[in-house]
Amino acid sequence: MTDSAAAPAPAAPAPDPLVLRYLEHVRSGKRLAARTVTLYGEDLARLQAQAAGAGLPLDAVQTAHVRRWLATLRSAGYSPRGLARILSGWRGFYRWLVQERLIAHNPVQDVRAPRAGKPLPKALSVDDAMRLADHRGNATPDPRHPDAAWLELRDRCLVELLYGSGLRVSELVGLDIHPGPEARGWCDLDAAEVHVLGKGGKWRTVPLGHQELEALKPWLDARALLPVARATPALLIGRRGTRLTPQSVWQRLQARSRAAGLDAPVHPHMLRHSFASHLLQSSGDLRAVQELLGHAHIGTTQIYTRLDFQHLAKVYDAAHPRAHGKKSGS
């Protein structure tokens, strides 16, 4: 698709006086950034070119014209997102004309850009997820890097919780070592469960797998010996003893994915997507995946059925003798 933000505006006559007045209004009256004003100017140049081609002054444009021009831009390859931005610029211009009492009705008011296709979430393959989860950094005490050993235990723990329980990164960093009135989540090793406060203030409980427990136990033992950990209830802490931030998790996870030899850097939500996709591939139980993810609506979870179908399609393409016109033996 054409990137409308980068595509040049079509040839047009000299800027219409109404356009110049409007651009001055948004520049000085609304104090919009210079780049935004430039983009508005480009979008209105497109509008003026379309109107000139139809032999219309800008204040005579009707909704039917706008719909026709939108279809023209779409057939020219503009993306839904680019079209939405162009329409937003046109809509603002005509809203101003209405406010100035230069026209009676905004012809763009009820025109909407086509919906953009919702991109599929990115999930790791099972092999790559295992490579990341099984990666072991330096857990040996080193006088030159005294933090390396416990940081490795912590990072292994955060990977296991993200992939093994499908936590959001905000839920992960909100975990405490013990339950309490202020806690937003905690791990119960005896019951092999993690309790988290998710979106909408809803609590949910997710099982802890064997590998997660094997990662949590040594981390908690190491954490108990850290002087910097005494002042915080947070399960995952940084070098200064403060609760780990989502940004820090992103950085540590990307570094770990590179160290594990993965082709692309991994972000926390990718592990949540991988958790859901791999679980659905194995179980086929969409309702269970919904509960474990903490989705309020099953429709949110159904996107993973598309990932599951992609997986099945790849298996078919790779293995079925009819996938590529192969001839079966007689």
Side-chain angles (χ1 to χ4, degrees):
M1 286 292 182
T2 301
D3 182 353
S4 62
D16 188 285
L18 290 176
V19 170
L20 293 177
R21 285 178 56 191
Y22 174 70
L23 292 178
E24 180 58 29
H25 163 71
V26 297
R27 181 185 297 110
S28 58
K30 290 194 171 184
R31 299 184 181 276
L32 297 184
R35 174 59 178 163
T36 303
V37 175
T38 298
L39 291 175
Y40 278 6
E42 292 175 358
D43 292 339
L44 293 175
R46 292 183 178 91
L47 173 66
Q48 192 175 340
Q50 296 288 352
L56 288 170
L58 290 178
D59 56 5
V61 169
Q62 301 298 314
T63 299
H65 300 124
V66 176
R67 295 188 190 280
R68 190 179 311 131
W69 300 338
L70 179 66
T72 300
L73 292 174
R74 186 178 185 184
S75 65
Y78 283 83
S79 68
R81 181 176 296 180
L83 293 173
R85 200 213 70 200
I86 290 171
L87 280 177
S88 177
W90 293 1
R91 193 175 296 115
F93 170 66
Y94 281 107
R95 186 183 303 119
W96 174 77
L97 289 182
V98 171
Q99 292 171 351
E100 294 292 305
R101 299 185 178 182
L102 297 173
I103 60 174
H105 172 70
N106 185 340
V108 194
Q109 186 61 43
D110 298 322
V111 181
R112 295 291 180 267
R115 287 187 177 183
K118 195 170 185 179
L120 287 176
K122 293 183 179 179
L124 296 172
S125 67
V126 174
D127 288 343
D128 280 350
M130 292 299 100
R131 284 173 64 189
L132 180 64
D134 293 339
H135 175 72
R136 297 292 179 267
N138 182 16
T140 304
D142 185 342
R144 296 170 300 175
H145 304 285
D147 295 336
W150 69 262
L151 288 175
E152 165 60 23
L153 294 174
R154 182 205 64 186
D155 289 354
R156 178 189 169 198
C157 186
L158 70 86
V159 170
E160 290 291 351
L161 286 169
L162 288 169
Y163 177 57
S165 292
L167 302 187
R168 300 178 177 92
V169 67
S170 59
E171 297 168 347
L172 174 76
V173 299
L175 293 175
D176 286 350
I177 54 174
H178 298 299
E182 302 298 324
R184 294 188 292 126
W186 65 89
C187 295
D188 185 339
L189 272 61
D190 293 332
E193 296 173 342
V194 57
H195 305 271
V196 293
L197 183 62
K199 286 187 176 180
K202 295 183 179 180
W203 286 93
R204 75 179 187 281
T205 300
V206 183
L208 289 170
H210 173 74
Q211 293 296 333
E212 289 174 272
L213 292 172
E214 289 298 305
L216 276 162
K217 290 172 182 176
W219 162 239
L220 288 172
D221 290 342
R223 184 191 179 286
L225 300 176
L226 295 174
V228 296
R230 294 171 185 167
T232 178
L235 174 67
L236 301 176
I237 59 172
R239 284 186 172 90
R240 297 180 180 178
T242 56
R243 187 181 295 273
L244 209 60
T245 65
Q247 292 77 15
S248 295
V249 174
W250 273 71
Q251 293 168 0
R252 298 297 294 187
L253 193 54
Q254 291 196 351
R256 196 172 184 83
S257 62
R258 288 193 296 268
L262 272 63
D263 292 335
V266 176
H267 57 77
H269 223 62
M270 190 182 292
L271 289 181
R272 176 170 162 88
H273 293 323
S274 303
F275 162 85
S277 178
H278 300 167
L279 190 60
L280 187 60
Q281 287 172 18
S282 299
S283 69
D285 193 333
L286 191 64
R287 285 290 181 185
V289 175
Q290 177 192 5
E291 291 294 325
L292 293 170
L293 290 174
H295 286 162
H297 304 288
I298 192 69
T300 309
T301 317
Q302 283 175 331
I303 192 169
Y304 294 105
T305 63
R306 294 169 62 192
L307 285 176
D308 190 35
F309 180 79
Q310 282 191 343
H311 168 74
L312 294 175
K314 288 179 181 178
V315 171
Y316 173 84
D317 286 342
H320 198 282
R322 307 295 285 179
H324 301 288
K326 299 174 184 176
K327 293 182 179 180
S328 58
S330 58

